[in-house]
Amino acid sequence: MPLTSRVLAAGGSSTAVVGSTLDPRTIPKYVTRLAALPAMPMWSSYGGVDYYVIGVRQFSQQVLPPTLPKTVVWGYGSPRNPATFHSPAFTIEARVGRPVQVMWANQLVDASGRFLPHLFAVDPTLHWANPPGGLRGRDSRPTFASTPGPYSGPVPVVTHVHGAHATEESDGYPEAWYLPPAWDIPVGYARVGSSHDRHRAMAADRFGAEWSPGAAVYRYANDQSAGTLWFHDHTLGLSRVNVHAGLAGFYLLRGGARDLPPGVLPGPAPAADDRPGTRYHELSLVVQDRSFNRDGSIFFPDSRSFAGDVPPTGPFIPASDVPPIWNPDTFGNTMVVNGRTWPVLSVEPRRYRFRLLNACNARTLLLKVVANPLAPRPAPAALSCWQIGADGGFLPRPVQTDQLLCAPAERVDVIVDFTSLPAGTELFLINEGPDVAFTGGSPGNGLTPADPATTGQVMKFVVTRQSTRDTSVPPAQLFLPPLPPLGPSRRTWRISLTARQSTAKPAVAVSYLLGTVAADGTAKPLTWADDVTERPALRTTETWELANFTGETHPIHLHQVQFRVTDRRPLTGGGPGRAPEAGETGVKDTVIAYPNEITRIDAQFDIPGRYVMHCHNLDHEDGEMMRPIQPGG
């Protein structure tokens, strides 16, 4: 009997639906050490530029404890050293002012050079990359006379460094994808997306790069503040499945005027050639939710029936407009950190710096350090955290907090001080966020927390004896670099966030949309294919008002810029606004837009070209909640 998972159903209620075949309650917890993510090895470094070749491959990894089967995943790595392929990826370590150039290679082929199909069911009825459509039909929403099966052809990829101040051709535009150089690509298939060739020509002109089949070369100037960036797949209509398969990793930018001198913060962080046994006091943590089958494979829904709002038989095409495979919110039942389920980390009684990334498809995390992982929620915090940074750099000052709110794609940079704890102490990082779509609130205040036995636990800390002296500065005494000024806003862009319901089954959501807001305050939804409506001026501060007409939160990401959260105001009826949360007072590239509110951010673009804004609930992004924007145009 398959295990049932809990997901959000129509109308905001929760319903049991068929899920993975491996019961998460049977997976041993805290038996596997946390995997430190080393630095990605460079290919070469000369002329003031660091060069990388990074491939995307399929391989097996021990995600579950060693008593259980390995898991087939996708991940990034250096083709020179197959041992570097990991999910999530090894970390790109970059320096402010020193460019990084990466050849991103699609190597999703088998040993004979045949293309590898996707690990998960791909819905071909979405607006997606659509290689079978050929040159004319690529990057489109195909039409079908009857319900098609899942796409089983070669997989397109394109990588985006999330938070990077990148020129257009190096941003990882959703329509700049490319297939692997397999010899059995079907006749008539488009091998690249509709923006690929234009970006290839721009790269050759800007920095002399030559793109080979199945690869793209991007350059990152790193002319921004030190920050916690990350990279992931961004293919049109496939981001949710490509990232869920494993395509994500950290890109840490260090140095420059808005960083702190060595030794002030806890360190070191993992490097490329560390000796075995090196102790790290700065660690990056990629938190994901996954579900597994008994053979070790990752479960991902292959039918819209997973959402519980339609039966397995639909109706789908031609009887309705409900996508047959795409689901509006996908939740796993098992927590994974750095590619291992419920890991354990030995810590000394000293300060540690953790860079946390929420790389879940749809789950919002409320993280807390506690003594008892099964304590009734809300559980009392055993240690507070000091948040020192957010997505794009440091906060104005350290913020002491018992709980960290982190929506999909958001990052938090925190210091946890274990100094006062005796050896042998056990503490746990738990999650009190919900097992359904986040609508705001807190445990006991409009929010039902995650299952304490499964998704309510994340990882374990065990305090050992101290072996090295801690010379880092206590977080309460830190002076963080000042924020650069933005200047007054000169214009406001009013963006609507809406859900579109099925014409055949009105209770069923078939897409989520961004759009504009009319003068009377009503939403004007738009699709990915509609003309650009936002053309921000260059080097000018402008306000973006995100008006959320839906019943759940949406983490909204703007490419190219790091912005400031200004305030949040009621969607209707006026009334006072509220200031950003303390952890949002730095520079951000992703912001939570709450239901029935207008979230206001200030941004300043300075590179012309075609970019995107979108919801970073990846299911929503692939379900039309993404729009092109044209700075300077």
Side-chain angles (χ1 to χ4, degrees), residues 162 228 230 232 356-361 363 391 406-412 555 557 588-590 614-618:
H162 183 121
T228 306
W230 66 297
H232 60 83
L356 289 145
L357 161 67
N358 181 345
C360 301
N361 274 43
R363 180 183 297 275
D391 305 336
C406 194
E410 287 191 305
R411 288 87 70 205
V412 289
H557 172 47
K588 298 273 295 169
D589 53 49
T590 306
H614 61 89
C615 177
H616 226 288
N617 176 323
L618 295 177

PDB file of all heavy atoms in Angstrom, residues 162 228 230 232 356-361 363 391 406-412 555 557 588-590 614-618:
ATOM      1  N   HIS A 162      21.530  32.627  -9.552  1.00  0.00           N
ATOM      2  CA  HIS A 162      20.452  33.370  -8.904  1.00  0.00           C
ATOM      3  C   HIS A 162      21.052  34.459  -8.007  1.00  0.00           C
ATOM      4  O   HIS A 162      21.768  34.172  -7.063  1.00  0.00           O
ATOM      5  CB  HIS A 162      19.623  32.381  -8.087  1.00  0.00           C
ATOM      6  CG  HIS A 162      18.432  32.966  -7.405  1.00  0.00           C
ATOM      7  ND1 HIS A 162      17.155  32.534  -7.646  1.00  0.00           N
ATOM      8  CD2 HIS A 162      18.318  33.930  -6.466  1.00  0.00           C
ATOM      9  CE1 HIS A 162      16.313  33.201  -6.894  1.00  0.00           C
ATOM     10  NE2 HIS A 162      17.005  34.065  -6.163  1.00  0.00           N
ATOM     11  N   THR A 228      25.489  35.603  -0.749  1.00  0.00           N
ATOM     12  CA  THR A 228      25.225  34.167  -0.828  1.00  0.00           C
ATOM     13  C   THR A 228      24.326  33.906  -2.026  1.00  0.00           C
ATOM     14  O   THR A 228      23.099  33.930  -1.918  1.00  0.00           O
ATOM     15  CB  THR A 228      24.572  33.674   0.477  1.00  0.00           C
ATOM     16  OG1 THR A 228      25.384  34.057   1.586  1.00  0.00           O
ATOM     17  CG2 THR A 228      24.415  32.158   0.467  1.00  0.00           C
ATOM     18  N   TRP A 230      23.291  31.481  -5.583  1.00  0.00           N
ATOM     19  CA  TRP A 230      23.229  30.048  -5.900  1.00  0.00           C
ATOM     20  C   TRP A 230      22.900  29.886  -7.374  1.00  0.00           C
ATOM     21  O   TRP A 230      22.493  30.833  -8.039  1.00  0.00           O
ATOM     22  CB  TRP A 230      22.249  29.313  -5.002  1.00  0.00           C
ATOM     23  CG  TRP A 230      20.790  29.641  -5.126  1.00  0.00           C
ATOM     24  CD1 TRP A 230      20.180  30.832  -4.873  1.00  0.00           C
ATOM     25  CD2 TRP A 230      19.729  28.733  -5.488  1.00  0.00           C
ATOM     26  NE1 TRP A 230      18.825  30.723  -5.060  1.00  0.00           N
ATOM     27  CE2 TRP A 230      18.506  29.457  -5.423  1.00  0.00           C
ATOM     28  CE3 TRP A 230      19.687  27.378  -5.836  1.00  0.00           C
ATOM     29  CZ2 TRP A 230      17.270  28.876  -5.712  1.00  0.00           C
ATOM     30  CZ3 TRP A 230      18.448  26.793  -6.129  1.00  0.00           C
ATOM     31  CH2 TRP A 230      17.268  27.546  -6.061  1.00  0.00           C
ATOM     32  N   HIS A 232      21.124  27.276 -10.466  1.00  0.00           N
ATOM     33  CA  HIS A 232      20.135  26.208 -10.674  1.00  0.00           C
ATOM     34  C   HIS A 232      19.635  26.256 -12.104  1.00  0.00           C
ATOM     35  O   HIS A 232      19.849  27.235 -12.829  1.00  0.00           O
ATOM     36  CB  HIS A 232      18.957  26.359  -9.695  1.00  0.00           C
ATOM     37  CG  HIS A 232      18.205  27.656  -9.828  1.00  0.00           C
ATOM     38  ND1 HIS A 232      17.209  27.861 -10.761  1.00  0.00           N
ATOM     39  CD2 HIS A 232      18.308  28.826  -9.145  1.00  0.00           C
ATOM     40  CE1 HIS A 232      16.724  29.078 -10.635  1.00  0.00           C
ATOM     41  NE2 HIS A 232      17.386  29.696  -9.673  1.00  0.00           N
ATOM     42  N   LEU A 356      22.234  29.275   4.775  1.00  0.00           N
ATOM     43  CA  LEU A 356      21.095  28.398   4.522  1.00  0.00           C
ATOM     44  C   LEU A 356      20.382  28.794   3.236  1.00  0.00           C
ATOM     45  O   LEU A 356      20.128  29.974   2.990  1.00  0.00           O
ATOM     46  CB  LEU A 356      20.100  28.472   5.682  1.00  0.00           C
ATOM     47  CG  LEU A 356      20.536  27.832   6.997  1.00  0.00           C
ATOM     48  CD1 LEU A 356      20.004  28.605   8.181  1.00  0.00           C
ATOM     49  CD2 LEU A 356      20.040  26.387   7.042  1.00  0.00           C
ATOM     50  N   LEU A 357      20.063  27.805   2.426  1.00  0.00           N
ATOM     51  CA  LEU A 357      19.297  27.991   1.199  1.00  0.00           C
ATOM     52  C   LEU A 357      18.072  27.092   1.242  1.00  0.00           C
ATOM     53  O   LEU A 357      18.190  25.886   1.477  1.00  0.00           O
ATOM     54  CB  LEU A 357      20.145  27.639  -0.028  1.00  0.00           C
ATOM     55  CG  LEU A 357      19.399  27.333  -1.342  1.00  0.00           C
ATOM     56  CD1 LEU A 357      18.697  28.574  -1.866  1.00  0.00           C
ATOM     57  CD2 LEU A 357      20.353  26.770  -2.396  1.00  0.00           C
ATOM     58  N   ASN A 358      16.911  27.670   1.023  1.00  0.00           N
ATOM     59  CA  ASN A 358      15.704  26.872   0.834  1.00  0.00           C
ATOM     60  C   ASN A 358      15.608  26.530  -0.648  1.00  0.00           C
ATOM     61  O   ASN A 358      15.267  27.376  -1.472  1.00  0.00           O
ATOM     62  CB  ASN A 358      14.467  27.647   1.285  1.00  0.00           C
ATOM     63  CG  ASN A 358      13.176  26.844   1.123  1.00  0.00           C
ATOM     64  OD1 ASN A 358      13.140  25.833   0.427  1.00  0.00           O
ATOM     65  ND2 ASN A 358      12.111  27.293   1.763  1.00  0.00           N
ATOM     66  N   ALA A 359      15.938  25.280  -0.997  1.00  0.00           N
ATOM     67  CA  ALA A 359      15.885  24.824  -2.388  1.00  0.00           C
ATOM     68  C   ALA A 359      14.703  23.889  -2.623  1.00  0.00           C
ATOM     69  O   ALA A 359      14.725  23.069  -3.538  1.00  0.00           O
ATOM     70  CB  ALA A 359      17.194  24.136  -2.775  1.00  0.00           C
ATOM     71  N   CYS A 360      13.668  24.019  -1.802  1.00  0.00           N
ATOM     72  CA  CYS A 360      12.443  23.242  -2.008  1.00  0.00           C
ATOM     73  C   CYS A 360      11.652  23.815  -3.183  1.00  0.00           C
ATOM     74  O   CYS A 360      11.786  24.985  -3.521  1.00  0.00           O
ATOM     75  CB  CYS A 360      11.566  23.287  -0.753  1.00  0.00           C
ATOM     76  SG  CYS A 360      12.329  22.660   0.754  1.00  0.00           S
ATOM     77  N   ASN A 361      10.809  22.973  -3.772  1.00  0.00           N
ATOM     78  CA  ASN A 361       9.943  23.452  -4.852  1.00  0.00           C
ATOM     79  C   ASN A 361       8.915  24.450  -4.346  1.00  0.00           C
ATOM     80  O   ASN A 361       8.698  25.495  -4.951  1.00  0.00           O
ATOM     81  CB  ASN A 361       9.210  22.282  -5.502  1.00  0.00           C
ATOM     82  CG  ASN A 361      10.006  21.620  -6.597  1.00  0.00           C
ATOM     83  OD1 ASN A 361      11.198  21.406  -6.452  1.00  0.00           O
ATOM     84  ND2 ASN A 361       9.347  21.295  -7.697  1.00  0.00           N
ATOM     85  N   ARG A 363       7.901  24.481  -0.519  1.00  0.00           N
ATOM     86  CA  ARG A 363       7.801  24.517   0.943  1.00  0.00           C
ATOM     87  C   ARG A 363       8.498  25.743   1.520  1.00  0.00           C
ATOM     88  O   ARG A 363       9.669  26.008   1.229  1.00  0.00           O
ATOM     89  CB  ARG A 363       8.427  23.251   1.545  1.00  0.00           C
ATOM     90  CG  ARG A 363       8.370  23.183   3.061  1.00  0.00           C
ATOM     91  CD  ARG A 363       9.078  21.940   3.576  1.00  0.00           C
ATOM     92  NE  ARG A 363       8.427  20.721   3.119  1.00  0.00           N
ATOM     93  CZ  ARG A 363       7.393  20.152   3.727  1.00  0.00           C
ATOM     94  NH1 ARG A 363       6.896  20.706   4.821  1.00  0.00           N
ATOM     95  NH2 ARG A 363       6.872  19.047   3.259  1.00  0.00           N
ATOM     96  N   ASP A 391      19.838  37.455   1.068  1.00  0.00           N
ATOM     97  CA  ASP A 391      20.180  36.945  -0.257  1.00  0.00           C
ATOM     98  C   ASP A 391      21.475  37.539  -0.814  1.00  0.00           C
ATOM     99  O   ASP A 391      22.392  36.827  -1.202  1.00  0.00           O
ATOM    100  CB  ASP A 391      19.056  37.252  -1.247  1.00  0.00           C
ATOM    101  CG  ASP A 391      17.707  36.740  -0.788  1.00  0.00           C
ATOM    102  OD1 ASP A 391      17.671  35.785   0.011  1.00  0.00           O
ATOM    103  OD2 ASP A 391      16.695  37.303  -1.231  1.00  0.00           O
ATOM    104  N   CYS A 406      12.188  31.288   5.847  1.00  0.00           N
ATOM    105  CA  CYS A 406      12.939  31.141   4.597  1.00  0.00           C
ATOM    106  C   CYS A 406      12.032  30.498   3.553  1.00  0.00           C
ATOM    107  O   CYS A 406      11.726  29.304   3.632  1.00  0.00           O
ATOM    108  CB  CYS A 406      14.186  30.292   4.846  1.00  0.00           C
ATOM    109  SG  CYS A 406      15.405  30.338   3.525  1.00  0.00           S
ATOM    110  N   ALA A 407      11.594  31.299   2.583  1.00  0.00           N
ATOM    111  CA  ALA A 407      10.753  30.800   1.496  1.00  0.00           C
ATOM    112  C   ALA A 407      11.636  30.200   0.404  1.00  0.00           C
ATOM    113  O   ALA A 407      12.857  30.387   0.400  1.00  0.00           O
ATOM    114  CB  ALA A 407       9.910  31.943   0.933  1.00  0.00           C
ATOM    115  N   PRO A 408      11.060  29.461  -0.546  1.00  0.00           N
ATOM    116  CA  PRO A 408      11.863  28.899  -1.634  1.00  0.00           C
ATOM    117  C   PRO A 408      12.717  29.956  -2.325  1.00  0.00           C
ATOM    118  O   PRO A 408      12.230  31.029  -2.686  1.00  0.00           O
ATOM    119  CB  PRO A 408      10.808  28.318  -2.573  1.00  0.00           C
ATOM    120  CG  PRO A 408       9.689  27.931  -1.670  1.00  0.00           C
ATOM    121  CD  PRO A 408       9.656  29.002  -0.623  1.00  0.00           C
ATOM    122  N   ALA A 409      14.011  29.649  -2.477  1.00  0.00           N
ATOM    123  CA  ALA A 409      15.047  30.470  -3.117  1.00  0.00           C
ATOM    124  C   ALA A 409      15.654  31.506  -2.193  1.00  0.00           C
ATOM    125  O   ALA A 409      16.686  32.089  -2.531  1.00  0.00           O
ATOM    126  CB  ALA A 409      14.545  31.154  -4.382  1.00  0.00           C
ATOM    127  N   GLU A 410      15.069  31.767  -1.033  1.00  0.00           N
ATOM    128  CA  GLU A 410      15.678  32.721  -0.116  1.00  0.00           C
ATOM    129  C   GLU A 410      16.885  32.101   0.576  1.00  0.00           C
ATOM    130  O   GLU A 410      16.960  30.889   0.769  1.00  0.00           O
ATOM    131  CB  GLU A 410      14.667  33.175   0.939  1.00  0.00           C
ATOM    132  CG  GLU A 410      13.613  34.121   0.414  1.00  0.00           C
ATOM    133  CD  GLU A 410      12.806  34.750   1.531  1.00  0.00           C
ATOM    134  OE1 GLU A 410      12.238  33.995   2.348  1.00  0.00           O
ATOM    135  OE2 GLU A 410      12.739  35.985   1.596  1.00  0.00           O
ATOM    136  N   ARG A 411      17.835  32.970   0.960  1.00  0.00           N
ATOM    137  CA  ARG A 411      18.992  32.537   1.731  1.00  0.00           C
ATOM    138  C   ARG A 411      19.082  33.349   3.011  1.00  0.00           C
ATOM    139  O   ARG A 411      18.722  34.534   3.019  1.00  0.00           O
ATOM    140  CB  ARG A 411      20.306  32.734   0.934  1.00  0.00           C
ATOM    141  CG  ARG A 411      20.460  31.762  -0.206  1.00  0.00           C
ATOM    142  CD  ARG A 411      19.808  32.217  -1.483  1.00  0.00           C
ATOM    143  NE  ARG A 411      20.505  33.335  -2.091  1.00  0.00           N
ATOM    144  CZ  ARG A 411      19.919  34.204  -2.904  1.00  0.00           C
ATOM    145  NH1 ARG A 411      18.621  34.098  -3.177  1.00  0.00           N
ATOM    146  NH2 ARG A 411      20.616  35.192  -3.456  1.00  0.00           N
ATOM    147  N   VAL A 412      19.541  32.710   4.072  1.00  0.00           N
ATOM    148  CA  VAL A 412      19.811  33.412   5.318  1.00  0.00           C
ATOM    149  C   VAL A 412      21.235  33.066   5.751  1.00  0.00           C
ATOM    150  O   VAL A 412      21.655  31.916   5.695  1.00  0.00           O
ATOM    151  CB  VAL A 412      18.795  33.078   6.429  1.00  0.00           C
ATOM    152  CG1 VAL A 412      17.445  33.700   6.129  1.00  0.00           C
ATOM    153  CG2 VAL A 412      18.645  31.580   6.615  1.00  0.00           C
ATOM    154  N   PRO A 555       7.055  33.632  -3.343  1.00  0.00           N
ATOM    155  CA  PRO A 555       8.387  34.227  -3.300  1.00  0.00           C
ATOM    156  C   PRO A 555       8.756  34.771  -4.684  1.00  0.00           C
ATOM    157  O   PRO A 555       9.005  34.005  -5.613  1.00  0.00           O
ATOM    158  CB  PRO A 555       9.290  33.061  -2.893  1.00  0.00           C
ATOM    159  CG  PRO A 555       8.571  31.833  -3.376  1.00  0.00           C
ATOM    160  CD  PRO A 555       7.104  32.154  -3.352  1.00  0.00           C
ATOM    161  N   HIS A 557      11.010  36.712  -7.428  1.00  0.00           N
ATOM    162  CA  HIS A 557      12.428  36.938  -7.740  1.00  0.00           C
ATOM    163  C   HIS A 557      12.546  37.810  -8.974  1.00  0.00           C
ATOM    164  O   HIS A 557      11.904  37.542  -9.993  1.00  0.00           O
ATOM    165  CB  HIS A 557      13.112  35.584  -7.966  1.00  0.00           C
ATOM    166  CG  HIS A 557      14.516  35.671  -8.484  1.00  0.00           C
ATOM    167  ND1 HIS A 557      15.470  36.511  -7.957  1.00  0.00           N
ATOM    168  CD2 HIS A 557      15.146  34.988  -9.498  1.00  0.00           C
ATOM    169  CE1 HIS A 557      16.617  36.363  -8.610  1.00  0.00           C
ATOM    170  NE2 HIS A 557      16.443  35.452  -9.550  1.00  0.00           N
ATOM    171  N   LYS A 588      18.121  42.116  -1.113  1.00  0.00           N
ATOM    172  CA  LYS A 588      17.374  40.902  -1.418  1.00  0.00           C
ATOM    173  C   LYS A 588      17.198  40.759  -2.923  1.00  0.00           C
ATOM    174  O   LYS A 588      17.202  41.743  -3.662  1.00  0.00           O
ATOM    175  CB  LYS A 588      15.990  40.966  -0.768  1.00  0.00           C
ATOM    176  CG  LYS A 588      15.995  41.049   0.741  1.00  0.00           C
ATOM    177  CD  LYS A 588      16.031  39.668   1.354  1.00  0.00           C
ATOM    178  CE  LYS A 588      14.762  38.897   1.033  1.00  0.00           C
ATOM    179  NZ  LYS A 588      14.884  37.463   1.393  1.00  0.00           N
ATOM    180  N   ASP A 589      17.013  39.512  -3.367  1.00  0.00           N
ATOM    181  CA  ASP A 589      16.609  39.291  -4.752  1.00  0.00           C
ATOM    182  C   ASP A 589      15.333  38.464  -4.831  1.00  0.00           C
ATOM    183  O   ASP A 589      14.800  38.240  -5.907  1.00  0.00           O
ATOM    184  CB  ASP A 589      17.726  38.618  -5.560  1.00  0.00           C
ATOM    185  CG  ASP A 589      18.249  37.353  -4.917  1.00  0.00           C
ATOM    186  OD1 ASP A 589      17.454  36.477  -4.524  1.00  0.00           O
ATOM    187  OD2 ASP A 589      19.485  37.222  -4.788  1.00  0.00           O
ATOM    188  N   THR A 590      14.843  38.009  -3.670  1.00  0.00           N
ATOM    189  CA  THR A 590      13.607  37.233  -3.594  1.00  0.00           C
ATOM    190  C   THR A 590      12.837  37.733  -2.372  1.00  0.00           C
ATOM    191  O   THR A 590      13.426  37.892  -1.295  1.00  0.00           O
ATOM    192  CB  THR A 590      13.899  35.732  -3.448  1.00  0.00           C
ATOM    193  OG1 THR A 590      14.775  35.317  -4.505  1.00  0.00           O
ATOM    194  CG2 THR A 590      12.625  34.908  -3.511  1.00  0.00           C
ATOM    195  N   HIS A 614       9.707  36.328 -11.669  1.00  0.00           N
ATOM    196  CA  HIS A 614       8.847  35.149 -11.545  1.00  0.00           C
ATOM    197  C   HIS A 614       8.679  34.740 -10.093  1.00  0.00           C
ATOM    198  O   HIS A 614       9.418  35.183  -9.209  1.00  0.00           O
ATOM    199  CB  HIS A 614       9.424  33.965 -12.342  1.00  0.00           C
ATOM    200  CG  HIS A 614      10.778  33.514 -11.904  1.00  0.00           C
ATOM    201  ND1 HIS A 614      10.970  32.566 -10.926  1.00  0.00           N
ATOM    202  CD2 HIS A 614      12.023  33.870 -12.311  1.00  0.00           C
ATOM    203  CE1 HIS A 614      12.267  32.353 -10.761  1.00  0.00           C
ATOM    204  NE2 HIS A 614      12.930  33.138 -11.591  1.00  0.00           N
ATOM    205  N   CYS A 615       7.695  33.897  -9.863  1.00  0.00           N
ATOM    206  CA  CYS A 615       7.516  33.257  -8.568  1.00  0.00           C
ATOM    207  C   CYS A 615       8.529  32.133  -8.453  1.00  0.00           C
ATOM    208  O   CYS A 615       8.751  31.379  -9.408  1.00  0.00           O
ATOM    209  CB  CYS A 615       6.105  32.705  -8.448  1.00  0.00           C
ATOM    210  SG  CYS A 615       5.790  31.811  -6.906  1.00  0.00           S
ATOM    211  N   HIS A 616       9.172  32.015  -7.267  1.00  0.00           N
ATOM    212  CA  HIS A 616      10.153  30.943  -7.098  1.00  0.00           C
ATOM    213  C   HIS A 616       9.588  29.720  -6.395  1.00  0.00           C
ATOM    214  O   HIS A 616      10.337  28.837  -5.985  1.00  0.00           O
ATOM    215  CB  HIS A 616      11.410  31.426  -6.395  1.00  0.00           C
ATOM    216  CG  HIS A 616      12.659  30.951  -7.067  1.00  0.00           C
ATOM    217  ND1 HIS A 616      13.069  29.626  -7.020  1.00  0.00           N
ATOM    218  CD2 HIS A 616      13.563  31.585  -7.842  1.00  0.00           C
ATOM    219  CE1 HIS A 616      14.184  29.493  -7.707  1.00  0.00           C
ATOM    220  NE2 HIS A 616      14.509  30.671  -8.221  1.00  0.00           N
ATOM    221  N   ASN A 617       8.262  29.653  -6.233  1.00  0.00           N
ATOM    222  CA  ASN A 617       7.643  28.343  -6.124  1.00  0.00           C
ATOM    223  C   ASN A 617       7.778  27.760  -7.528  1.00  0.00           C
ATOM    224  O   ASN A 617       7.160  28.248  -8.476  1.00  0.00           O
ATOM    225  CB  ASN A 617       6.175  28.481  -5.710  1.00  0.00           C
ATOM    226  CG  ASN A 617       5.440  27.148  -5.677  1.00  0.00           C
ATOM    227  OD1 ASN A 617       5.678  26.273  -6.510  1.00  0.00           O
ATOM    228  ND2 ASN A 617       4.515  27.009  -4.746  1.00  0.00           N
ATOM    229  N   LEU A 618       8.642  26.764  -7.690  1.00  0.00           N
ATOM    230  CA  LEU A 618       8.993  26.311  -9.034  1.00  0.00           C
ATOM    231  C   LEU A 618       7.810  25.722  -9.778  1.00  0.00           C
ATOM    232  O   LEU A 618       7.765  25.760 -11.017  1.00  0.00           O
ATOM    233  CB  LEU A 618      10.139  25.306  -8.954  1.00  0.00           C
ATOM    234  CG  LEU A 618      11.466  25.874  -8.445  1.00  0.00           C
ATOM    235  CD1 LEU A 618      12.522  24.773  -8.347  1.00  0.00           C
ATOM    236  CD2 LEU A 618      11.965  26.998  -9.347  1.00  0.00           C
TER     237      LEU A 618
END
